[in-house]
Amino acid sequence: MQAPALPATEAQRIATLRALLILDTEPEARFDLITAYAASEFKVPIALVSLVDSNRQWFKSCVGLPLGEGPREESFCGHAILEPGIFEIADARSDGRFADNPAVLGDPWVRFYAGCPLVMANGESVGTLCLVDRKPRRLSAWERGQLEVLGKMVAAELQGVSASTVEGRPNIPAFYA
């Protein structure tokens, strides 16, 4: 198993994540609705909003797994935040970075993974909206586009949480430019 590298801007990325004031908060319908929709739309048993902290990945929302967290060094999402777009693994058993990962060798039996980085206004990726399947597959171009749109929705919600908590008013960023 290959642990994910740290981004060159890791200190800024962690500061951005922590400024959202979202880690270890209760589940919220606005995130749960997106993961439920993603699981249904992409026909996958698992969909997550995963935030990548210093030493862990923490699930803000989850379909198909219990809410919780896992070690960053074992996370697929730790790799996904390093990519500028969708990070996709068609069959984790055939990928040297993941073939001996505990999540591949045992429950939840990850075969397919696709993660859309949750990019904040300052360019830092704080986590992913990800899809997991227990069988190998690939996303179509249309599905990749849909996952990107849903990922931008989650990113906007995360930034709205930060702005409303810190400034007392909602602020949805313009990320469509």
Side-chain angles (χ1 to χ4, degrees):
M1 182 182 74
Q2 180 183 339
L6 295 179
T9 59
E10 178 67 357
Q12 176 65 31
R13 194 190 71 74
I14 292 296
T16 300
L17 173 62
R18 301 259 170 94
L20 295 173
L21 304 174
I22 194 98
L23 290 172
D24 301 311
T25 59
E26 294 296 318
E28 296 178 63
R30 60 198 174 132
F31 297 108
D32 293 344
L33 289 169
I34 294 172
T35 53
Y37 176 80
S40 175
E41 181 68 21
F42 293 96
K43 296 174 180 54
V44 294
I46 301 167
L48 308 162
V49 171
S50 175
L51 301 173
V52 181
D53 200 0
S54 298
N55 297 310
R56 65 179 176 150
Q57 70 172 347
W58 177 75
F59 306 142
K60 174 59 180 168
S61 180
C62 183
V63 169
L65 291 176
L67 276 175
E69 61 185 59
R72 181 177 180 173
E73 64 269 8
E74 294 178 6
S75 75
F76 285 69
C77 300
H79 292 269
I81 64 169
L82 301 171
E83 300 297 323
I86 303 293
F87 178 71
E88 183 176 1
I89 303 297
D91 187 348
R93 294 173 301 185
S94 302
D95 189 308
R97 295 169 293 182
F98 305 105
D100 60 349
N101 185 297
V104 174
L105 296 175
D107 194 31
W109 307 102
V110 175
R111 296 298 175 260
F112 166 80
Y113 171 91
C116 179
L118 303 175
V119 181
M120 300 296 100
N122 66 357
E124 297 296 338
S125 294
V126 297
T128 66
L129 171 64
C130 60
L131 309 171
V132 176
D133 205 340
R134 294 182 177 103
K135 60 184 182 217
R137 65 182 285 190
R138 289 195 180 275
L139 293 178
S140 69
W142 184 86
E143 289 173 320
R144 291 175 74 83
Q146 293 303 300
L147 183 56
E148 285 180 7
V149 168
L150 291 173
K152 287 179 179 182
M153 290 170 65
V154 172
E157 286 295 332
L158 287 169
Q159 292 175 111
V161 166
S162 175
S164 66
T165 302
V166 175
E167 300 170 9
R169 60 182 172 81
N171 180 23
I172 305 301
F175 53 79
Y176 291 107

